[in-house]
Amino acid sequence: MTEVNGAEFPNRYAGMRGNVGGGGGEAEDWKYHAAEFAKGVAEMSVEFGRGVRDVVRQSVLAKDSYFARNFGEPCAKACERLRFLNEYLPEDRDPVHSWTVVFFVAVVALAALCVSSGHDTTTPLVKRLYIHPPNACRILLPDGRHLAYQELGVPAHRARFSMISAHPFLSSRLAGIPGLKASLLEEFGIRLVTYDLPGFGESDPHPNRNLQSSALDMLQLSYAVNVTEKFWVLGFSGGSMHAWAALRYIPDRVAGALMVAPVVNPYEPSMTKKERSRIWENWSPRRKLMYYLARRFPSSLAYLYRRSFLSGNHGQIDKWLSLSVGKGDRALIEEPIFEKFWQRDIEESVRQRNVKPFVEEAVLQVSEWGFRLSDLKIQKKRQGKGIIHWLKSIYSQAEEQLTGFLGPIHIWQGMEDKVVPPSMTDFVQRVIPGAMVHKLLYDGHFTYFYFCDECHKQIFTTLFGNPQGPLPSEVEDRTPIKIIEEKDDEEEDTLSDTARD
């Protein structure tokens, strides 16, 4: 107690003064000031809230305010209709106050649920891309670049048929025909050569590539790997763009074409408005945007690619490529065998971490190819204009020459394909009537080409007939020749001895 002018008052600081010099005096003093500060803040907040309430009542909720004039009547009608909810409140509670509290509590609870659902504790760790040591065979091209390739199937001297495949976008030489068994290649006597496009995998980038240079790369590869006869070209999805180029620029070296869901330029000038509309309506808005950016603003693709497959992390194929896939394709890409293949193929594709080849590949698809698909149509060679050429055509005994690609073109198209819609193959069939289209009623983009042994056998049987196995090895046995030579030497020795006698 403290005495002031003869009166005694309780001393609230007496305990703290008594503890000065002790161990807990300063801690208790800090706690006291913190508590007093919190109380002050709470009291100020309450007073501030009351002030805001009064201002709202006098300005916003006043009868002559802008809000009351424009929204007062609709709000009054809504409150009148919702008045029955007040029956659920206690009799001593103000409805305005109660429902305001309920509203804010509901908002806070909903926000908490959204936050908790957006941060799932079972989310798997992000898997990083692993760049494997280089292991590809490479050839040196005439311009000094190296081209990486891979050989599957029977060796060159035993192959009945040779195939060269260019991979699609965001892929590599490891793709080929996914899940293809070596025994099936042996059964048909097929040699399959796959290679990395410039800047992909272990192939050097091309400073100024186009589809003509792509066809020349394929030609140089065929010579380097000892493909002396004509070879088949294989094109799946975006890889078919390079197969079309081979048919156009090196037709004399190509025996035939195998296409699965082949891509064409969506801005092809020879498309009708109806054909173009049928193609574009199948794609998602994001995929349409990617095509538009590739055609108009290709530099913007570099940023998007660095944020996705060049980020160093694994991701889903449909999100990275902005694909819309059907049920069948969705079930396949969720299989572990597909995921393992996809991850390895991606790791090889982005090995060089260079965004330029990917931008180039995207731009190639939507730019002028340098030719039209109708140029591959088998047709009579056009004669020159003028009277002289007309007279020559009348009196000339020469046979009429044909232009275009004279070999077979086989196309397999899934009717449930949402990546390369069937309407795109319908356009191909219109401009190249000689192409043989095999429509797959219940297949999508991946289901017929990926990990389907029966499908692979059907494709090879359609192209090459019944399997005949590889060619027999040519064994050169020179033993009889040596024996004859030895006998000739013995006869010469005998004759010489006889002459001496």
Side-chain angles (χ1 to χ4, degrees), residues 169 197-200 204-211 213 241-242 294 298-299 301-302 305 354-367 369:
F169 185 85
L197 293 174
F200 291 72
D204 295 337
H206 193 291
N208 188 24
R209 71 184 179 112
N210 52 34
L211 289 182
S213 68
M241 177 170 58
H242 306 281
S299 58
L301 295 178
Y305 292 165
N354 185 6
V355 71
K356 184 180 178 182
F358 295 95
V359 175
E360 291 175 343
E361 188 72 6
V363 172
L364 274 179
Q365 184 177 342
V366 298
S367 303
W369 284 8

Side-chain angles (χ1 to χ4, degrees), residues 200-491:
F200 291 72
E202 296 185 39
S203 290
D204 295 337
H206 193 291
N208 188 24
R209 71 184 179 112
N210 52 34
L211 289 182
Q212 184 174 8
S213 68
S214 179
L216 295 178
D217 285 350
M218 195 179 297
L219 178 65
Q220 296 295 335
L221 175 63
S222 67
Y223 291 140
V225 297
N226 198 26
V227 177
T228 56
E229 299 180 354
K230 290 185 177 182
F231 57 87
W232 285 73
V233 292
L234 166 63
F236 167 69
S237 190
S240 58
M241 177 170 58
H242 306 281
W244 292 126
L247 302 186
R248 174 63 180 86
Y249 294 111
I250 55 172
D252 296 337
R253 292 284 294 142
V254 180
L258 159 61
M259 307 278 193
V260 180
V263 162
V264 300
N265 185 353
Y267 296 95
E268 172 70 37
S270 56
M271 282 184 185
T272 63
K273 292 183 178 180
K274 184 177 181 180
E275 288 173 334
R276 185 174 289 109
S277 176
R278 290 179 58 200
I279 291 173
W280 283 83
E281 68 184 6
N282 289 276
W283 289 327
S284 64
R286 180 177 173 82
R287 186 168 178 82
K288 294 177 183 178
L289 175 62
M290 298 298 286
Y291 279 133
Y292 177 79
L293 293 177
R295 187 171 175 85
R296 299 297 183 185
F297 307 100
S299 58
S300 62
L301 295 178
Y303 171 78
L304 298 176
Y305 292 165
R306 290 192 182 99
R307 296 272 297 179
S308 54
F309 51 82
L310 289 176
S311 63
N313 300 326
H314 279 292
Q316 295 181 357
I317 183 173
D318 55 333
K319 292 183 179 180
W320 276 1
L321 299 181
S322 304
L323 305 180
S324 298
V325 295
K327 293 182 180 179
D329 286 331
R330 172 65 60 188
L332 176 61
I333 64 179
E334 291 177 355
E335 291 287 336
I337 187 173
F338 184 96
E339 182 180 1
K340 182 179 179 181
F341 161 80
W342 161 251
Q343 291 180 357
R344 180 65 182 91
D345 196 29
I346 286 294
E347 290 170 345
E348 189 62 27
S349 180
V350 302
R351 165 186 293 277
Q352 301 182 37
R353 301 292 180 90
N354 185 6
V355 71
K356 184 180 178 182
F358 295 95
V359 175
E360 291 175 343
E361 188 72 6
V363 172
L364 274 179
Q365 184 177 342
V366 298
S367 303
E368 290 292 336
W369 284 8
F371 64 94
R372 295 186 180 184
L373 291 183
S374 57
D375 297 338
L376 304 178
K377 176 183 177 181
I378 300 176
Q379 52 192 331
K380 295 179 182 179
K381 187 176 181 180
R382 295 180 180 179
Q383 301 293 334
K385 297 181 180 180
I387 299 177
I388 297 177
H389 293 285
W390 178 71
L391 292 174
K392 285 183 178 180
S393 64
I394 294 177
Y395 295 102
S396 176
Q397 299 296 327
E399 296 182 358
E400 294 181 343
Q401 295 182 355
L402 300 178
T403 60
F405 179 68
L406 304 180
I409 301 175
H410 288 268
I411 299 175
W412 276 264
Q413 176 65 55
M415 303 308 291
E416 300 294 331
D417 193 340
K418 296 186 178 181
V419 180
V420 179
S423 51
M424 190 170 280
T425 300
D426 293 339
F427 164 73
V428 175
Q429 195 171 20
R430 180 179 70 83
V431 296
I432 311 178
M436 287 164 277
V437 178
H438 309 272
K439 296 184 177 181
L440 312 170
L441 296 181
Y442 306 106
D443 283 288
H445 190 67
F446 303 102
T447 52
Y448 191 79
F449 192 65
Y450 280 57
F451 305 101
C452 180
D453 298 336
E454 186 62 29
C455 305
H456 300 160
K457 189 169 185 178
Q458 288 176 2
I459 291 175
F460 291 154
T461 303
T462 303
L463 299 180
F464 310 125
N466 295 327
Q468 301 180 22
L471 294 172
S473 300
E474 296 180 0
V475 180
E476 297 182 0
D477 189 3
R478 298 184 179 181
T479 304
I481 298 177
K482 291 182 179 180
I483 293 175
I484 293 174
E485 291 177 353
E486 291 177 358
K487 288 183 178 179
D488 292 341
D489 293 340
E490 290 177 358
E491 291 178 358

